[in-house]
C-alpha cells in the first residue's frame, strides 16, 4: 500500500506524511459466538470509507418517495466525481438514531459488514437492506 495519509497544514493546504498512520481501529466484543464470547475486528484499507468521499445530507421526509429519492441520489452520486481509486463501494444510509451513527453505518455497509441484515423492516425498528435498484423498500 502506498503511504498517503494527509496532514492539514492550513485550512487550504495539506501534505503527504509518508505514513498511513494514525489508523482508526475498532474492536467489538460479542456476548456469545460459536465458541463463547469473542472479539470482532474491522480492518479497512485506506480509501475504504475515506472521509474525502463521505457526505451527510439531512433532508426532510418529503424525499421519502421513489421518484424524489432517485432524483436526489442521481444528483448526489454524480457530484462525487471519479477522483477515488477503484474499486468503488457505494453505500446509502437512510434514517438512523443520529448523524454520527448514519455515517458509521455507511462505512460498515461499504465494507460488506452489514450484508446479513434483514431485507425487510418491521415494527421492531431494526435496520434493513433494500435490495431493489429502484428503492422498493420505500413504497408503502
Amino acid at each position: 500500500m502506498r503511504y498517503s495519509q494527509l496532514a492539514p497544514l492550513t485550512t487550504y493546504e495539506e501534505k503527504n506524511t509518508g505514513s498511513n498512520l494514525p489508523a482508526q481501529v475498532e474492536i467489538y466484543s460479542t456476548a456469545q459466538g460459536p465458541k463463547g464470547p469473542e472479539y470482532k475486528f474491522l480492518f479497512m484499507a485506506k480509501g475504504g470509507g475515506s472521509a474525502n468521499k463521505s457526505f451527510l445530507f439531512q433532508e426532510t421526509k418529503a424525499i421519502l418517495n421513489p421518484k424524489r429519492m432517485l432524483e436526489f441520489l442521481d444528483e448526489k452520486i454524480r457530484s462525487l466525481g471519479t477522483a477515488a481509486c477503484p474499486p468503488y463501494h457505494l453505500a446509502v444510509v437512510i434514517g438512523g438514531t443520529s448523524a454520527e451513527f448514519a455515517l458509521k453505518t455507511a462505512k460498515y455497509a461499504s465494507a460488506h459488514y452489514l450484508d446479513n441484515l434483514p431485507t425487510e423492516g418491521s415494527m421492531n425498528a431494526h435496520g434493513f437492506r433494500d435490495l431493489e435498484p429502484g428503492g422498493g423498500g420505500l413504497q408503502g
Side-chain angles (χ1 to χ4, degrees), residues 2 4 28 51 61 64 66 73 75 83 102 106-107 109 112 116 119 135:
R2 69 183 154 90
S4 57
Y28 299 94
K61 190 174 177 173
L64 291 179
L73 290 175
E75 173 190 337
K107 179 180 269 193
H112 300 283
N116 293 325
T119 55

Side-chain angles (χ1 to χ4, degrees), residues 59 62-73 75:
E59 300 293 326
I63 201 168
L64 291 179
N65 67 72
K67 181 180 184 301
R68 180 63 190 113
M69 179 63 74
L70 289 177
E71 291 170 353
F72 176 82
L73 290 175
E75 173 190 337

Side-chain angles (χ1 to χ4, degrees), residues 27-41 113:
I27 303 171
Y28 299 94
S29 64
T30 62
Q32 192 65 35
K35 297 179 182 178
E38 59 189 17
Y39 287 107
K40 301 274 185 179
F41 296 85
Y113 202 69

Side-chain angles (χ1 to χ4, degrees), residues 35 40 89 98 129:
K35 297 179 182 178
K40 301 274 185 179
H89 296 269
S98 69
R129 295 179 69 211

Side-chain angles (χ1 to χ4, degrees), residues 90-137:
L90 177 67
V92 176
V93 175
I94 301 169
T97 55
S98 69
E100 296 83 6
F101 194 68
L103 289 171
K104 190 173 199 175
T105 302
K107 179 180 269 193
Y108 287 170
S110 70
H112 300 283
Y113 202 69
L114 303 175
D115 286 358
N116 293 325
L117 281 178
T119 55
E120 293 181 352
S122 76
M123 290 304 292
N124 292 328
H126 59 75
F128 71 96
R129 295 179 69 211
D130 183 351
L131 303 177
E132 293 294 320

